[in-house]
């Protein structure tokens, strides 16, 4: 980034050196006009600078003017630096701007800002122009953090004309323990090696750079707040996996992290299932990707705003309890073979960022390779006391082939589903597939929940919803919902009671 910055300085300076010898800049001072009054730069982690931001300064008058001085308010001690029409520094005298034209300022913050004793670092660019003194605010959040950088590259060869796939990664120390005293920042894939584990404490903030994620290699283990028990404190201090762009405009932007393997990629482990509790995973490409034969337990987990799939099961095994799968660009939940038990959970795809290719829930017991050859994968899935809803007329996609078993059951759940599917490959009258008393194709009202404030996503049934007090609990039903509210004798369908 610094190299590009200084190349720009050199080239711009050369271009300016031959063009202004005969131009007169003696216009009267005027009030300048700026492209913005506040410049928000990337959150800075220790040792890393920000990306560069552009500020345009306009001369609205009909005369060429000379701005007396442009400088950073904090002077030489400022952690910001700027480039003004090819001149780099923290101060510049005599900025010339042609009539009706503009000057370009490029601003960045240095890596040293990570050592500032401020959570939010502020400065200003001051413009002194005769009797006028104007300023533009500069704001950057400053964090200290633990960093996990890649030091290896896995290359997967591809046939011509496709480029090889390269996956940068670094192997974590065996049996790593991430505390919540500082954020953790991942570049590339952080790999939990075979026979090793990664334990993440409650309240830990994990930020992943674009294209990166966590890779639980074969026989590795991930334990995220794994010792927590169902209590009123559910999700009050969650572990959060998200991107590393922390300006307000990126709070709920999908697809910020997760490479070709997805966001959190889990392989088979003989040491036991992967466990995630009291966790929020947001803004990935694919939030969780479960590989063949991998096992996973989710409880009080939210996976939302993935640009492709929130939860992808590829012939794995998973237990989802008090789990919310929110908006996703393709599927909220996709199971390609495997075994899944989903109880007291909400799968609600309210994707509004673009058109959507898939349904909230997609289940298939086969796949086809590039040559059109079909392979079967046995599928067993149970959905109990759960919501499957979204913005489409049908939010349950079932792809069934006779070459493998397709054993799927919906029990006391609420579904948006096509009652007359093409080909008749299922029937709502089938009391094995659709057991208990399910609700179909209703207009269920939701309100915004306390955990995802500002996400523009409503997922909590309102107090008069027909989903409220619908079913009796089973011995396996968690006593508290995902927000820590005690469930009554008759419980609400989904992961959350009405507020």
């Amino acid at each position: 980034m610094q190299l590009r910055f200084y190349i720009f300085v050199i080239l711009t300076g050369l271009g300016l050196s031959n063009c202004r010898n005969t131009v007169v800049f003696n216009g009267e001072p005027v009030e300048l006009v700026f492209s913005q009054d506040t410049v928000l730069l990337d959150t800075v982690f220790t040792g890393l600078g920000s990306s560069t931001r552009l500020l345009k300064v306009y001369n609205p008058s009909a005369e060429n003017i000379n701005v007396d001085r442009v400088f950073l308010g904090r002077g030489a001690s400022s952690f910001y630096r700027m480039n003004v029409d090819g001149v780099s520094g923290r101060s510049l005298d005599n900025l010339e701007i042609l009539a009706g034209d503009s000057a370009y300022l490029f601003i960045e913050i240095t890596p040293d800002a990570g050592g500032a004793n401020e959570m939010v670092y502020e400065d200003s660019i001051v413009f002194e122009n005769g009797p006028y003194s104007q300023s533009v605010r500069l704001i950057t959040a400053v964090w200290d953090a633990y960093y996990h950088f890649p030091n290896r590259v896995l290359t997967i060869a591809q046939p011509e004309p496709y480029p090889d796939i390269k996956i940068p990664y670094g192997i974590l120390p065996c049996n790593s323990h991430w505390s919540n005293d500082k954020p953790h920042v991942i570049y590339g894939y952080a790999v939990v090696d075979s026979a090793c584990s990664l334990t993440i404490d409650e309240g830990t903030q994990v930020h992943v750079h674009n294209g990166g994620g966590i890779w639980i290699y074969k026989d590795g283990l991930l334990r995220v707040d794994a010792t927590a028990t169902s209590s009123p404190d559910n999700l009050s201090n969650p572990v959060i996996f998200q991107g590393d762009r922390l300006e307000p405009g990126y709070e709920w932007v999908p697809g910020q992290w997760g490479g070709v393997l997805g966001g959190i990629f889990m392989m088979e482990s003989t040491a036991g299932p992967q466990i995630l509790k009291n966790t929020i995973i947001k803004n990935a490409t694919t939030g969780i990707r479960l590989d063949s034969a991998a096992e996973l337990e989710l409880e009080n987990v939210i996976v939302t705003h993935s640009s492709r799939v929130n939860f992808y099961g590829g012939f794995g095994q998973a237990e989802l309890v008090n789990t919310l799968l929110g908006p996703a660009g393709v599927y909220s939940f996709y199971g390609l073979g495997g075994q899944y038990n989903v109880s007291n959970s909400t799968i609600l795809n309210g994707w509004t960022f673009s058109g959507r290719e898939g349904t909230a829930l997609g289940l298939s017991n086969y796949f086809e390779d590039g040559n059109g050859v079909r392979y079967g994968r046995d599928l067993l899935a149970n959905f109990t006391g759960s919501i499957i809803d979204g913005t489409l007329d049908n939010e349950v996609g079932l792809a069934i082939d006779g070459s493998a078993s397709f054993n799927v059951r919906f029990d006391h759940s609420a579904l948006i589903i096509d009652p007359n599917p093409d080909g008749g490959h299922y029937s709502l009258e089938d009391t094995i597939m659709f057991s208990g008393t399910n609700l179909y194709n209703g207009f269920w009202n939701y309100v915004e929940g306390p955990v995802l404030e500002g996400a523009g996503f409503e997922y909590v049934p309102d107090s008069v919803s027909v989903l409220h007090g619908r079913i009796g609990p089973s011995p396996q039903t968690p006593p508290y919902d995902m927000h820590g509210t005690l469930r009554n004798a008759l419980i609400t369908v989904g992961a959350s009671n009405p507020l």
Side-chain angles (χ1 to χ4, degrees):
M1 175 169 53
Q2 293 183 11
L3 178 60
R4 293 197 303 269
F5 188 75
Y6 290 114
I7 288 175
F8 172 82
V9 172
I10 293 170
L11 293 178
T12 306
L14 290 174
L16 292 174
S17 63
N18 297 319
C19 63
R20 290 188 172 174
N21 294 332
T22 60
V23 179
V24 178
F25 292 85
N26 58 2
E28 291 297 319
V30 297
E31 283 194 275
L32 302 169
V33 178
F34 307 105
S35 58
Q36 52 192 317
D37 59 10
T38 301
V39 178
L40 296 172
L41 287 90
D42 302 323
T43 293
V44 172
F45 297 102
T46 301
L48 299 174
S50 72
S51 58
T52 303
R53 291 289 186 268
L54 169 65
L55 174 70
K56 290 184 180 181
V57 184
Y58 299 96
N59 170 13
S61 74
E63 296 182 300
N64 303 329
I65 64 170
N66 190 328
V67 180
D68 299 329
R69 188 180 177 214
V70 180
F71 60 95
L72 291 169
R74 293 199 183 198
S77 64
S78 178
F79 288 124
Y80 291 102
R81 59 188 171 197
M82 60 185 180
N83 177 282
V84 185
D85 266 359
V87 180
S88 181
R90 291 177 171 83
S91 178
L92 172 72
D93 294 333
N94 301 318
L95 171 63
E96 299 171 341
I97 309 178
L98 293 169
D101 204 351
S102 58
Y104 289 79
L105 278 70
F106 294 87
I107 309 109
E108 64 181 5
I109 193 165
T110 67
D112 298 334
N117 294 320
E118 304 171 46
M119 292 299 292
V120 177
Y121 188 80
E122 296 192 37
D123 201 346
S124 62
I125 303 176
V126 182
F127 299 81
E128 291 184 346
N129 181 25
Y132 302 105
S133 180
Q134 299 170 265
S135 62
V136 173
R137 295 179 67 201
L138 305 175
I139 300 176
T140 304
V142 180
W143 292 55
D144 191 15
Y146 298 105
Y147 293 90
H148 309 280
F149 290 105
N151 53 18
R152 310 179 188 191
V153 176
L154 172 65
T155 300
I156 304 175
Q158 299 295 298
E160 293 292 344
Y162 304 105
D164 292 344
I165 297 173
K166 296 183 180 295
I167 304 175
Y169 70 98
I171 298 177
L172 297 172
C174 198
N175 303 326
S176 293
H177 187 166
W178 290 3
S179 62
N180 58 17
D181 59 325
K182 293 191 294 186
H184 290 257
V185 184
I186 300 173
Y187 278 69
Y189 275 90
V191 177
V192 180
D193 207 357
S194 180
C196 296
S197 65
L198 170 61
T199 300
I200 302 179
D201 289 347
E202 67 171 347
T204 301
Q205 302 280 321
V206 181
H207 301 274
V208 189
H209 191 64
N210 182 35
I214 292 182
W215 180 356
I216 314 303
Y217 192 66
K218 185 176 181 180
D219 291 330
L221 280 180
L222 176 63
R223 293 287 187 266
V224 180
D225 199 12
T227 60
T229 57
S230 183
S231 74
D233 295 328
N234 293 354
L235 286 173
S236 62
N237 189 27
V239 174
I240 301 180
F241 294 88
Q242 60 188 315
D244 64 348
R245 299 293 301 271
L246 300 185
E247 302 100 317
Y250 285 87
E251 177 71 15
W252 297 104
V253 175
Q256 295 182 45
W257 59 283
V260 295
L261 301 177
I264 302 178
F265 177 53
M266 304 174 182
M267 301 178 70
E268 178 186 8
S269 177
T270 57
Q274 316 299 333
I275 298 177
L276 284 79
K277 296 183 178 181
N278 305 326
T279 298
I280 298 174
I281 302 168
K282 65 177 186 175
N283 302 335
T285 52
T286 293
I288 293 175
R289 181 180 170 192
L290 200 61
D291 198 23
S292 180
E295 298 180 59
L296 171 65
E297 295 179 5
L298 300 180
E299 184 173 355
N300 300 321
V301 171
I302 296 173
V303 190
T304 188
H305 287 66
S306 299
S307 60
R308 293 193 56 78
V309 182
N310 286 322
F311 175 90
Y312 180 97
F315 207 47
Q317 301 178 48
E319 300 273 346
L320 284 71
V321 179
N322 275 358
T323 294
L324 168 65
L325 303 180
V330 185
Y331 294 99
S332 285
F333 181 114
Y334 185 76
L336 177 58
Q339 300 180 28
Y340 311 100
N341 286 308
V342 181
S343 60
N344 306 104
S345 293
T346 299
I347 303 172
L348 178 56
N349 197 344
W351 180 262
T352 58
F353 296 90
S354 63
R356 175 152 54 99
E357 301 175 29
T359 51
L361 171 66
L363 298 172
S364 177
N365 68 343
Y366 70 92
F367 70 97
E368 294 181 352
D369 63 16
N371 297 317
V373 179
R374 182 170 290 192
Y375 300 88
R377 284 191 163 183
D378 293 341
L379 177 71
L380 171 65
N382 296 304
F383 297 85
T384 306
S386 296
I387 298 170
I388 302 168
D389 196 358
T391 55
L392 304 180
D393 293 336
N394 175 39
E395 291 289 3
V396 179
L398 305 178
I400 306 172
D401 186 83
S403 64
S405 65
F406 189 91
N407 188 351
V408 175
R409 183 173 65 94
F410 301 96
D411 182 11
H412 290 89
S413 293
L415 319 172
I416 299 296
I417 186 170
D418 186 352
N420 300 298
D422 293 338
H425 56 286
Y426 67 82
S427 170
L428 299 185
E429 302 301 320
D430 182 348
T431 57
I432 296 177
M433 179 177 288
F434 301 96
S435 61
T437 305
N438 294 302
L439 292 173
Y440 303 113
N441 303 321
F443 293 97
W444 304 309
N445 298 319
Y446 304 95
V447 298
E448 187 179 68
V451 182
L452 302 183
E453 290 183 358
F457 173 53
E458 298 180 342
Y459 63 93
V460 179
D462 67 19
S463 59
V464 296
S465 173
V466 296
L467 303 177
H468 179 48
R470 179 75 184 177
I471 57 178
S474 70
Q476 291 75 38
T477 301
Y480 298 93
D481 75 349
M482 67 179 296
H483 295 120
T485 303
L486 188 66
R487 286 190 164 103
N488 299 320
L490 290 177
I491 66 175
T492 301
V493 178
S496 175
N497 287 332
L499 298 176

